[in-house]
Amino acid sequence: MNISPLQKARYEYVPKLPGMLRGGIAEISVKEGAATQSVADQEKIKALFPNTYGEKEITFEKGKNTSPVKKQVVGVILSGGQAPGGHNVICGLYDALKATDPDNVLLGFKGGPSGLTDDNYLVFEDDYIDQFRNTGGFDIIGSGRTKLETEEQFKVAAEVCKKHGVTAIVIIGGDDSNTNAAVLAEYFAAHKTGVQVIGCPKTIDGDLKNEDIECSFGFDTATKTYSELIGNIERDANSAKKYWHFIKVMGRSASHVALECALETQPNICLIGEEVAAKKMSLSAIADQIADSVAKRAAKGMNFGVAIIPEGIVEFVPEFSVLIAEINELLAGGKADAFNALPSWDAKYAFIEKGLTKESMAVFAILPQSIQQQLFLDRDPHGNVQVSLIESEKLFSALVADNLAQRKKAGTYNGKFSAQHHFFGYEGRDAFPSNFDADYCYSLGYNAFMLIQYGYNGYLSKVSNLSRPAEEWKAGGMPITKMMNIERRNGQDKPVIRKALVELDGKPFKYFEENREKWAAETCFKYPGAIQYYGPAEVCDLTTVTLALEKG
Ligand code: FBP
């Protein structure tokens, strides 16, 4: 067989359910709580969701299962970027569905949300699903980034559901996908299709988080994977004592991943995009801050260090986002072709100099040439700069090198600075889920089926009290509309789930802030090592430091 010993062993792992979901399907009863309201813009959200707004909070508890007897045909969709544990959400959903009635059917719509509208699916069976238990990746049915948001798509989705007798759809996705799940749920309710929609909170970025959702799944495993690698690099740096390592970590916008990795590994520097934006820091100010740490350490003979850079950082630097907007404008409406036709970089540079404002040109001018060129090469299908592809780890190390050269000239620094660069992203998104993610995801899926069975629509599967052992976790559901507000998107007011950015007065950031000066000047590296799947619970069932600080 073409499988590793660990994969084989993980097939046998039995995920832990919250205590209230243990003991069999017949023992799960439901308790309805208070009616809910959206976090803001109540009247507007209510008007947009007349059939699904204001529903009650749900908690499951031990007791007689009173859900109606009904054959269930459930369709499941994986949406967006991979996150460890997605397979277990489907396994939990499947096991609860089959335990309720072996004749129930689970369909997997392939390749993301477009699988539903393209009617592209498979029917899950034991032999197939068993190959994916407790494994990483989304290859069980594949994923995609097509958005289900138009009336036309909803109409097709309703037809596909009718064709297969689908009673419910489970959408496993991030804030955008779950926003769309709420809109689909409203459409299905308004058109009396009888199809329910349940969401599950996914994303390694950790930005689908609020007073109900303590964390999105995948964040735990991804940050532990990056932290293992960062810890290894720290040890290498501390052994060789000759390199500064600039490490970019994934996380499209918010800096939760970077912050968690910093809390786990105690590097010399970690940039937090939300702080950069709040303090309106310029590129030079950031470079100066890093150079301070380099210089302080060099003065003590330590010409090495580690700096963590969040993937989304540049968009938080005010002057840089203005520069990006100007570049997008400069090449809009077919002007990119004329630009590309220019014979040399010098000619292109002259074109850029003419097109940018003086302020943006000043920012552009300090960038290393490789980054300047990247800004004009990698464009998305709409012709915009792909900010996430900017090698910000190289950008900051180059700016720091310049800064140190000036200090050297001024006689204030006399160290050596040699940089190495890394990007940790995709390698964390498909790792074998940690026990936490394996348990959490299985519980989310199991719980999603209980919400379906009890007839709820437009809910997010909710498992909470996550900083405690799984036995004490709480399972239930929350209407998605409760998490929504109105935001301006593409020039329109849209109902959306609020994205969670790093809170600068939150406990994780505060802890980092209290310690970072010491970490910057001294060597306080912490080596978390690899994720452990077997052994004592205090090693294997650890949550993230973020969750422990927020909820512990
Ligand atoms: P989701 O928000 O869909 O979970 O994806 C998050 C993410 O992994 C980001 O961290 C990263 O910037 C992005 O996806 C990469 O996207 P792609 O897989 O399309 O390259």
Side-chain angles (χ1 to χ4, degrees):
M1 275 273 264
N2 197 18
I3 57 170
S4 68
L6 181 66
Q7 184 165 341
K8 193 157 170 263
R10 290 312 277 168
Y11 288 163
E12 309 300 323
Y13 177 77
V14 180
K16 299 186 273 296
L17 282 169
M20 55 184 47
L21 297 183
R22 295 181 189 179
I25 293 288
E27 305 265 306
I28 303 172
S29 73
V30 71
K31 189 173 152 212
E32 293 198 336
T36 57
Q37 286 205 356
S38 59
V39 282
D41 308 307
Q42 288 85 7
E43 287 314 311
K44 286 183 183 164
I45 305 281
K46 189 175 174 184
L48 290 165
F49 294 89
N51 296 283
T52 47
Y53 185 82
E55 296 290 334
K56 292 176 181 146
E57 176 176 353
I58 297 305
T59 315
F60 291 115
E61 51 184 26
K62 277 199 173 295
K64 191 173 159 29
N65 186 333
T66 56
S67 63
V69 177
K70 173 182 176 186
K71 174 164 178 190
Q72 300 284 5
V73 180
V74 176
V76 63
I77 297 169
L78 289 163
S79 180
Q82 283 74 255
H87 288 165
N88 267 27
V89 180
I90 297 181
C91 294
L93 177 65
Y94 178 83
D95 288 353
L97 169 141
K98 290 289 182 188
T100 299
D101 183 345
D103 288 337
N104 284 342
V105 178
L106 182 63
L107 307 179
F109 288 103
K110 294 189 195 171
S114 61
L116 175 59
T117 45
D118 295 344
D119 195 11
N120 182 12
Y121 69 98
L122 58 77
V123 180
F124 284 106
E125 297 197 353
D126 290 356
D127 285 354
Y128 184 69
I129 209 156
D130 288 348
Q131 302 167 49
F132 294 95
R133 290 185 185 272
N134 307 302
T135 59
F138 276 7
D139 42 321
I140 190 167
I141 45 174
S143 186
R145 291 197 181 276
T146 307
K147 292 185 192 308
L148 286 186
E149 55 187 354
T150 67
E151 186 91 7
E152 187 51 36
Q153 287 171 313
F154 294 162
K155 203 166 152 248
V156 176
E159 280 159 14
V160 172
C161 288
K162 195 167 173 202
K163 177 174 159 197
H164 299 295
V166 168
T167 51
I169 297 284
V170 174
I171 296 181
I172 303 171
D175 54 336
D176 279 347
S177 307
N178 279 298
T179 291
N180 295 337
V183 183
L184 183 64
E186 176 63 29
Y187 177 93
F188 281 163
H191 291 78
K192 304 201 182 335
T193 60
V195 183
Q196 300 157 238
V197 181
I198 301 294
C200 288
K202 171 234 72 167
T203 178
I204 64 155
D205 293 2
D207 55 8
L208 173 45
K209 174 162 80 164
N210 50 47
E211 58 177 28
D212 295 306
I213 303 303
E214 293 179 5
C215 71
S216 54
F217 78 75
F219 178 71
D220 186 271
T221 310
T223 53
K224 284 190 168 107
T225 305
Y226 303 143
S227 297
E228 178 207 349
L229 300 174
I230 295 167
N232 295 350
I233 285 176
E234 286 179 338
R235 200 129 216 181
D236 197 85
N238 200 16
S239 306
K241 304 197 189 299
K242 60 177 180 179
Y243 293 127
W244 262 85
H245 293 268
F246 285 73
I247 306 171
K248 180 169 84 165
V249 291
M250 224 178 211
R252 189 190 299 277
S253 176
S255 298
H256 298 291
V257 173
L259 178 57
E260 171 62 22
C261 292
L263 296 173
E264 289 197 33
T265 62
Q266 303 185 176
N268 307 104
I269 293 289
C270 175
L271 303 179
I272 300 296
E274 291 81 344
E275 183 184 29
V276 164
K279 294 186 175 165
K280 297 192 172 41
M281 290 173 82
S282 64
L283 290 176
S284 325
I286 299 170
D288 205 44
Q289 185 191 319
I290 304 175
D292 276 350
S293 168
V294 176
K296 270 190 198 149
R297 293 174 61 75
K300 292 190 250 174
M302 296 186 289
N303 289 301
F304 64 93
V306 170
I308 299 179
I309 317 287
E311 181 186 0
I313 188 78
V314 286
E315 277 181 300
F316 286 92
V317 181
E319 60 185 6
F320 205 91
S321 27
V322 174
L323 170 67
I324 300 280
E326 286 190 23
I327 292 176
N328 287 338
E329 194 56 34
L330 195 60
L331 298 190
K335 281 178 276 174
D337 291 343
F339 174 82
N340 289 334
L342 292 170
S344 63
W345 176 244
D346 282 349
K348 287 176 177 164
Y349 199 94
F351 173 92
I352 296 165
E353 209 162 16
K354 232 166 102 193
L356 295 181
T357 58
K358 220 171 98 223
E359 294 73 22
S360 286
M361 193 57 213
V363 178
F364 188 75
I366 62 164
L367 304 178
Q369 200 187 81
S370 60
I371 304 280
Q372 290 177 335
Q373 291 175 338
Q374 255 171 38
L375 290 173
F376 285 85
L377 283 179
D378 302 314
R379 320 194 64 74
D380 73 10
H382 309 288
N384 296 327
V385 174
Q386 291 202 61
V387 181
S388 65
L389 296 183
I390 295 171
E391 294 177 308
S392 41
E393 68 283 22
K394 292 191 180 156
L395 166 64
F396 285 107
S397 89
L399 295 177
V400 169
D402 282 354
N403 183 301
L404 293 171
Q406 285 165 26
R407 291 181 190 222
K408 223 166 214 176
K409 252 193 209 155
T412 55
Y413 162 76
N414 191 26
K416 290 188 201 122
F417 178 74
S418 175
Q420 296 285 348
H421 306 104
H422 316 264
F423 170 43
F424 298 150
Y426 298 97
E427 48 276 81
R429 293 202 316 188
D430 295 83
F432 280 99
S434 60
N435 286 354
F436 174 87
D437 269 330
D439 298 346
Y440 180 39
C441 291
Y442 188 84
S443 302
L444 284 170
Y446 202 94
N447 187 56
F449 183 73
M450 295 319 299
L451 290 168
I452 293 168
Q453 185 63 15
Y454 273 103
Y456 295 104
N457 181 31
Y459 276 67
L460 203 57
S461 178
K462 170 179 168 178
V463 176
S464 55
N465 210 25
L466 295 172
S467 60
R468 306 289 307 151
E471 166 74 32
E472 295 171 39
W473 289 359
K474 297 193 167 86
M478 190 55 74
I480 302 177
T481 51
K482 180 181 178 233
M483 301 162 199
M484 295 178 117
N485 67 164
I486 300 284
E487 286 176 24
R488 200 91 187 137
R489 298 270 170 100
N490 298 328
Q492 282 181 312
D493 281 347
K494 290 262 182 195
V496 293
I497 297 179
R498 248 188 204 171
K499 202 183 258 308
L501 296 176
V502 170
E503 287 176 12
L504 301 182
D505 55 359
K507 285 186 187 161
F509 182 78
K510 283 283 167 210
Y511 181 87
F512 167 68
E513 198 179 31
E514 278 157 25
N515 288 285
R516 66 176 160 189
E517 225 177 284
K518 187 169 177 312
W519 297 352
E522 298 170 25
T523 299
C524 307
F525 299 156
K526 208 165 140 191
Y527 313 120
I531 295 174
Q532 301 296 306
Y533 299 94
Y534 301 99
E538 65 269 25
V539 178
C540 299
D541 294 349
L542 279 176
T543 62
T544 57
V545 182
T546 303
L547 189 66
L549 288 171
E550 282 175 347
K551 303 287 171 194

